[in-house]
Amino acid sequence: AQTVTQSQPEMSVQEAETVTLSCTYDTSESDYYLFWYKQPPSRQMILVIRQEAYKQQNATENRFSVNFQKAAKSFSLKISDSQLGDAAMYFCAYRSASGGSQGNLIFGKGTKLSVKP
Amino acid sequence: DGGITQSPKYLFRKEGQNVTLSCEQNLNHDAMYWYRQDPGQGLRLIYYSQIVNDFQKGDIAEGYSVSREKKESFPLTVTSAQKNPTAFYLCASSIGLAGGPWETQYFGPGTRLLVL
């Protein structure tokens, strides 16, 4: 069974600086998708960025980018120019590309990010 | 606006009582999901549905039931058999479950269930 591990329960960053959140996963599959979701205090889960495993190029969405290392099974999230609104829980998630029940999301336990003004 | 709505925002359950959480989407998505979130934990899948009148158990289905009579609606009932129901419940939907890159799940705002 696939597992997702986020080893940093809490992280802190100064406003306008850069922070990297770590995520590792375990799978025997070669085709899958990885996601970072943000959960602000409102508790609604918001998709931040998505990466397809078959793509070597790292995904980027404005200030958010990932470092996807397939061989190492690592999927870190970099937030540049951190803003106060970035403060939230961040969840890494894995989904098989096989579809069916294997297509369901598997989540890590999350990293709580604080942004200091 | 297209989206997913969940109601109520807060729900209180008495011992031995069944309660139903509502989830509605107007995104024309085929697949819908229910997750449970406990403090300090990630989300765990309760049930999912790929199409109307069909649904499958997730990792923690015991004590829960669902129905999918309409494409837009996927209500979750927390039965009296669920001994520890206090949690945050999130509903999600995606276009389908075929495994393609477009199968991103989008989430509703959640329901907080508390036991009296």
Side-chain angles (χ1 to χ4, degrees):
Chain A
Q2 297 86 6
T3 58
V4 176
T5 302
Q6 294 178 249
S7 60
Q8 307 153 315
E10 296 188 24
M11 291 281 286
S12 180
V13 63
Q14 203 71 31
E15 192 176 8
E17 294 188 346
T18 296
V19 64
T20 298
L21 308 183
S22 301
C23 173
T24 58
Y25 56 95
D26 187 25
T27 184
S28 58
E29 299 177 325
S30 59
D31 198 12
Y32 49 86
Y33 304 97
L34 296 165
F35 304 83
W36 278 99
Y37 281 90
K38 169 185 177 181
Q39 188 178 42
S42 68
R43 303 201 71 177
Q44 179 152 11
M45 297 287 282
I46 302 166
L47 178 67
V48 174
I49 200 165
R50 178 182 65 199
Q51 174 79 41
E52 291 89 342
Y54 60 83
K55 290 186 177 179
Q56 292 187 346
Q57 186 174 6
N58 290 323
T60 299
E61 289 286 343
N62 300 314
R63 298 183 294 106
F64 298 88
S65 61
V66 298
N67 183 5
F68 173 50
Q69 301 290 328
K70 191 172 184 179
K73 296 179 182 176
S74 172
F75 183 60
S76 60
L77 175 69
K78 186 172 80 171
I79 306 174
S80 304
D81 186 25
S82 297
Q83 300 175 0
L84 295 177
D86 294 333
M89 284 289 290
Y90 286 82
F91 291 94
C92 178
Y94 169 103
R95 183 174 69 76
S96 169
S98 302
S101 61
Q102 290 77 21
N104 299 322
L105 286 170
I106 299 169
F107 286 86
K109 293 187 176 182
T111 296
K112 183 178 181 180
L113 178 66
S114 302
V115 181
K116 298 178 181 177
Chain B
D1 289 335
I4 303 171
T5 58
Q6 290 186 242
S7 63
K9 188 172 183 180
Y10 296 96
L11 184 59
F12 299 91
R13 192 192 92 164
K14 295 180 181 179
E15 292 289 338
Q17 185 182 42
N18 292 354
V19 292
T20 298
L21 286 61
S22 170
C23 177
E24 304 274 338
Q25 55 96 1
N26 62 2
L27 299 168
N28 200 32
H29 286 174
D30 283 320
M32 297 186 74
Y33 314 79
W34 274 105
Y35 292 91
R36 170 177 171 145
Q37 186 179 25
D38 292 286
Q41 301 291 321
L43 279 66
R44 293 183 291 167
L45 183 67
I46 305 172
Y47 269 98
Y48 66 98
S49 168
Q50 301 183 54
I51 199 168
V52 174
N53 292 323
D54 181 67
F55 48 83
Q56 306 294 329
K57 293 181 179 179
D59 299 323
I60 55 166
E62 185 174 354
Y64 300 96
S65 66
V66 294
S67 63
R68 186 86 187 275
E69 298 177 0
K70 298 187 300 181
K71 186 176 184 177
E72 303 80 15
S73 179
F74 190 42
L76 173 74
T77 296
V78 183
T79 74
S80 57
Q82 173 49 245
K83 299 306 179 186
N84 185 22
T86 297
F88 188 63
Y89 291 87
L90 284 156
C91 177
S93 71
S94 64
I95 292 176
L97 205 63
W102 52 88
E103 303 300 355
T104 298
Q105 293 182 25
Y106 297 93
F107 287 80
T111 292
R112 177 81 169 138
L113 176 60
L114 299 166
V115 176
L116 295 176

